[in-house]
Amino acid sequence: MKKRLTSTAKFRLTKSKVFFWGVCTLSGITMIPLFLILWELVKKGYKQFNLSLFTEVAPTSMEAMLARISDSPIPGGILNGITGTLLILSIAIVIAIPIGIMTGVYLAENPKKKLANLVRNLSDLLQGIPSIVIGVVVYIWVVIPMSGYSALAGSVALAIMMLPMIIRSTEESLKMLPASLKEAALALGGSYTSVVVRVLLPSAFSGLFTGSLLAISRVMGETAPLLVTALGAASVNWNATSPTSAISLLIWEFYNDPNLADLVWSSSLLLLLFVLGINLLAKRIAKKWKIQ
């Protein structure tokens, strides 16, 4: 009997080690393309990564061509793209987060209602719709009635794309809270609204905030919906009703102009750093304020 137990234990230990190293190997293979992309971005993007990148607007094709002829860094930067991205994202956040959180609260509090099931299914369906389709729909809803492209139209498109992740993260975060928390708050005499606003939502803050950050990072690099809504601008614009540029739009424009191709790498590197920073912040918040 002891020999059988010993042989079984050795077999399980060997199988566990094989499985562990197999997972490590496959994970390493998966990470190779990521490291290659990062290396390519850093290698080609650091040349244009300077103060001008953040303080000057995008140069013209002629300015870039003269700089390439003289073998000097391309003048100008992507200030108009940075400010446009901040403007569009700010409006999208104001639109998407309140709607997403309220919808997630409704789904968590009424999980078996027909309307809740319908909203949940539509949210999952919305997450799989191509971004360009959302851009075309917003073009019909916003751009045509306003008779022009605008940052507001781009924000509406990005807000629609953010909604599914915010809704699902809110619903799942509230479901993780113990039922006794809500019951105790109601037993103390609190109204249903005050219990939700002052007890449940603060207790699920980690999941709500993390889901919102991940939704922001998901849409930050979107180009297709902005092409048919925000369009782009050659100068810094803080008017939400006028065409506005974005980092992703500038990358598209630079890619189509051989003289500005070098700025593609620096713009992509900056966008990658933004997304990486948001994801690291989300992970840190989720770890620090996780639901117990």
Side-chain angles (χ1 to χ4, degrees), residues 2 98 115 155 165 179 189 195 228 253 265 272 283:
K2 288 183 179 180
L115 179 59
S155 300
M165 185 172 292
V195 169
V228 294
E253 294 173 8
W265 300 101
L272 177 67
K283 289 182 178 295

Side-chain angles (χ1 to χ4, degrees), residues 158-224:
L158 296 189
I160 293 174
M161 296 179 63
M162 291 169 61
L163 278 175
M165 185 172 292
I166 298 175
I167 291 172
R168 296 298 287 175
S169 63
T170 301
E171 181 185 7
E172 295 302 324
S173 298
L174 292 176
K175 284 182 178 180
M176 292 175 63
L177 297 176
S180 57
L181 183 65
K182 177 182 175 183
E183 294 171 357
L186 291 173
L188 291 174
S191 64
Y192 179 77
T193 303
S194 63
V195 169
V196 171
V197 174
R198 299 185 179 183
V199 178
L200 298 184
L201 291 181
S203 299
F205 170 77
S206 172
L208 271 62
F209 195 72
T210 301
S212 300
L213 287 179
L214 293 178
I216 294 171
S217 66
R218 177 185 180 274
V219 302
M220 184 176 286
E222 287 291 340
T223 305

Side-chain angles (χ1 to χ4, degrees), residues 34-68:
L34 174 62
F35 284 122
L36 291 176
I37 293 172
L38 291 175
W39 170 249
E40 195 72 15
L41 281 176
V42 173
K43 183 178 69 173
K44 295 185 177 180
Y46 83 94
K47 298 177 182 179
Q48 296 289 144
F49 218 81
N50 48 39
L51 184 62
S52 298
L53 188 71
F54 303 92
T55 58
E56 299 180 15
V57 297
T60 63
S61 181
M62 179 62 68
E63 293 173 341
M65 183 178 66
L66 294 176
R68 289 172 63 90

Side-chain angles (χ1 to χ4, degrees), residues 71-175:
D71 197 22
S72 59
I74 298 176
I78 55 171
L79 178 61
N80 52 329
I82 295 174
T83 56
T85 298
L86 293 177
L87 176 62
I88 293 173
L89 283 178
S90 298
I91 300 175
I93 288 170
V94 172
I95 297 173
I97 290 182
I99 297 175
I101 290 178
M102 287 190 291
T103 305
V105 170
Y106 175 79
L107 296 182
E109 293 297 310
N110 306 276
K112 296 183 180 179
K113 286 190 175 180
K114 292 183 178 180
L115 179 59
N117 290 328
L118 177 63
V119 172
R120 190 178 294 108
N121 292 332
L122 290 177
S123 176
D124 294 338
L125 180 64
L126 182 63
Q127 194 165 10
I129 295 178
S131 59
I132 186 61
V133 175
I134 295 176
V136 172
V137 171
V138 174
Y139 175 84
I140 298 172
W141 286 354
V142 181
V143 176
I144 294 179
M146 291 182 64
S147 301
Y149 300 94
S150 63
L152 178 61
S155 300
V156 172
L158 296 189
I160 293 174
M161 296 179 63
M162 291 169 61
L163 278 175
M165 185 172 292
I166 298 175
I167 291 172
R168 296 298 287 175
S169 63
T170 301
E171 181 185 7
E172 295 302 324
S173 298
L174 292 176
K175 284 182 178 180

